[in-house]
Amino acid sequence: MKIANVAGRATVVTGPGQGMDVASASAGAFGPGLPGLFHQWGEFRAWVAGVTLGAPEVTFTPGELGPPSPSPVQVFAVGLNYRDHAAETGAELPPEPLVFTKFQSSLTGPATVVALPTGTVDWEVELTVVIGREAVDVSEADAWAHVAGLTVGQDISERTLQLVGAPPQFSLAKSYRGFSPTGPCLVTPDEFGDADRLEIGCAVNGVTVQKSSTSELIFPVPALIAKLSAVTRLYPGDLIFTGTPAGVGIGRKPRKYLAPGDELVSYVEGIGELRQRFVAQEGKS
Ligand code: ZN
C-alpha cells in the first residue's frame, strides 16, 4: 500500500495521481491527517485491508503533496552509513551509527523550490523510514514490524556551516528551510520484494551523481531501529534518514555544489522520486 499526504489529508494511492481519501472512506474513523493515522496504524491497516479501493476518488499533482510524516516527534539522521560514502569523505567506518537530527521545520513534500543560502549546498539522497509502532528495546528480528513504511528523503546539506568548527555541526547545517524534502508517498514494507535491497540515487540536471543500493548500508534498517530503540523511545511517525551513498558534491574533485537554476531528482526503487529546483536566496549571492 502507498499512502500520500494530499494537502494535509491521508490518501491511499490507487494509481498515478489518484487515490482514496481515508477520512471520507472511513466516515471519519481514520485521518484526516497522517499524524493521527500513525497512532492507529494497526487498526488502520486492518480496516484498509477490507476496503474496496477506488472510491471516493481524489486526484493530485506532486506539488500538492506534503511530507508523508509531517510532524514527527523525532527526526533521526545517520552519517557515514555507506562504505563508499565513508571512503569518499576520508572518514573511518564508524563502530556505531553516527546519529544527529534534522529539525522538523525543514521538512517538506516531494516537489519544491529551495532557496540556496550559500554556494556550498550539497545533495544526499537517503532511504527514509517512518515508524508505525512505539519501539523500546526492539530486536533486529522484530524491527521491520515497527515500520509503517519507507519513503525517499533528501538530506540537503550546507557544507560551510556543517564544517565550520570541530566537531562538525550536522543538525543545523542540514536544517535550513526546505532542506528535508520527503515523499512522494509512504510505501508499506510488504510492497517490496526485498526491503533491504533497493536501488537509490539522484541526478543533477539529468546527470546521475549518486547510484547505489540500500544493501550497501553499514547499519541497515533493522540495526538502526534496534540501536536507536535501545537508547530512545521511538514514536509512531518518527523519521529515520538512514544515510547517503557515495557521489555527494563535497566528495568530488573538483568539489561541486548546487547552483541557482539546478534541478535535483532523487529516487528509491519502488517508492518514487523527489524533485527540487534551486534558486538564489534573496539578498544573498
Ligand atoms: Zn545524510
Side-chain angles (χ1 to χ4, degrees), residues 222-237:
L224 291 177
I225 290 173
K227 286 178 176 292
L228 289 171
S229 75
V231 178
T232 67
R233 180 182 299 270
L234 303 182
Y235 294 100

Side-chain angles (χ1 to χ4, degrees), residues 110-113 263-266 273-277:
T112 56
V113 175
E263 185 182 62
L264 175 64
V265 177
S266 314
E273 64 182 32
L274 310 175
R275 190 174 291 265
Q276 271 60 55
R277 189 166 60 81

Side-chain angles (χ1 to χ4, degrees), residues 77-80 85 100 102 124-126 155 157 174 241 243-244:
V78 184
L80 300 175
H85 177 56
F100 57 97
K102 283 170 80 69
E124 294 193 358
V125 63
E126 310 204 356
D155 178 18
S157 303
K174 292 162 174 274
F241 283 72
T244 202

Side-chain angles (χ1 to χ4, degrees), residues 17-32:
Q18 60 184 30
M20 181 190 74
D21 184 86
V22 168
S24 300
S26 68
F30 302 101

